[in-house]
Amino acid sequence: RKEVEQDPGPFNVPEGATVAFNCTYSNSASQSFFWYRQDCRKEPKLLMSVYSSGNEDGRFTAQLNRASQYISLLIRDSKLSDSATYLCVVGSNFGNEKLTFGTGTRLTIIP
Amino acid sequence: NAGVTQTPKFQVLKTGQSMTLQCAQDMNHNSMYWYRQDPGMGLRLIYYSASEGTTDKGEVPNGYNVSRLNKREFSLRLESAAPSQTSVYFCASSPRQVNGYTFGSGTRLTVV
């Protein structure tokens, strides 16, 4: 089983719609969780951290379910500029500075 | 504020040639990383350096060496390039795991 698993997509969603991605992780001791965004032929960029209480940043909401070991990202009122690949990222242990990246979910917003 | 700077941006090598990919960060981060990204494989960790003076192997270290020259710089060396090393290479840095990583813009390497 992969440490971090995501549905690769692609997700083709009309502009203005709401879209949700899920990601599962295998290590129950994981402590740090993130969503990154990667545009075509660009580097990954941090979109948001994911906290146990959940967090929201504008149109983006991230949730963490430790019991089921999954992380979600919700995008409301999607924009054309949201088209990108979204990477789920998990860090296992404090003191071990490595993060594990999912293979990403490709999202295309359709006008 | 430059963040993480990688050089070169593009490189074509012949099989058997050697080269060094350079990475420097100006954010005073302790940890630095080298990843490669291939279609369908996601980002895979090659080597990392949790602090100045230390380096450790990641998931795919074979065929690579690294040097943490100082706190700012972390280089990746291919001693004898192979076509299987054709990839996009990203350097990243982080103050601590909980802060996530900042990536450089990548090096696109083709080995023919």
Side-chain angles (χ1 to χ4, degrees):
Chain A
R1 181 182 174 188
K2 289 183 179 179
E3 287 190 60
V4 179
E5 293 203 64
Q6 295 182 250
D7 182 342
F11 285 58
N12 298 315
V13 174
E15 192 175 6
T18 296
V19 59
F21 307 134
N22 284 333
C23 161
T24 59
Y25 59 95
S26 61
N27 187 343
S28 60
S30 297
Q31 300 285 350
S32 305
F33 308 91
F34 308 90
W35 284 101
Y36 274 71
R37 171 196 169 121
Q38 187 172 23
D39 294 294
C40 187
R41 301 180 69 79
K42 298 287 189 180
E43 73 273 22
K45 292 186 178 179
L46 180 63
L47 179 66
M48 58 197 307
S49 301
V50 186
Y51 304 118
S52 296
S53 56
N55 48 304
E56 186 173 315
D57 183 2
R59 298 181 293 107
F60 298 83
T61 301
Q63 298 279 355
L64 168 63
N65 185 318
R66 285 189 182 273
S68 300
Q69 294 181 209
Y70 78 80
I71 308 154
S72 64
L73 177 67
L74 183 76
I75 306 174
R76 292 181 299 277
D77 187 23
S78 53
K79 313 291 186 189
L80 295 176
S81 57
D82 294 333
S83 296
T85 296
Y86 290 83
L87 306 175
C88 174
V89 185
V90 176
S92 295
N93 301 299
F94 289 128
N96 173 351
E97 297 298 323
K98 295 185 290 182
L99 296 177
T100 301
F101 287 75
T103 53
T105 298
R106 179 182 284 186
L107 172 66
T108 300
I109 304 301
I110 303 166
Chain B
N1 190 348
V4 179
T5 302
Q6 288 185 238
T7 56
K9 294 191 182 302
F10 302 93
Q11 184 71 49
V12 179
L13 290 179
K14 293 182 179 179
T15 298
Q17 285 186 317
S18 62
M19 79 161 294
T20 300
L21 281 63
Q22 306 287 353
C23 175
Q25 52 92 7
D26 62 2
M27 297 173 285
N28 200 36
H29 287 172
N30 289 320
S31 302
M32 298 186 73
Y33 310 83
W34 277 105
Y35 284 86
R36 61 178 288 174
Q37 187 173 37
D38 303 289
M41 301 291 289
L43 284 157
R44 292 183 292 170
L45 182 64
I46 305 170
Y47 270 94
Y48 69 104
S49 171
S51 62
E52 185 179 356
T54 68
T55 61
D56 286 285
K57 294 178 180 179
E59 182 184 354
V60 288
N62 291 344
Y64 306 95
N65 286 301
V66 290
S67 295
R68 183 76 183 264
L69 305 170
N70 47 56
K71 193 171 186 179
R72 290 187 64 248
E73 298 173 286
F74 188 38
S75 62
L76 178 71
R77 182 161 178 83
L78 286 71
E79 291 291 352
S80 179
S84 61
Q85 293 178 305
T86 293
S87 188
V88 181
Y89 291 85
F90 288 105
C91 177
S93 71
S94 174
R96 294 173 57 206
Q97 185 196 93
V98 295
N99 300 107
Y101 296 170
T102 300
F103 283 86
S105 58
T107 296
R108 283 175 169 71
L109 175 67
T110 302
V111 183
V112 297

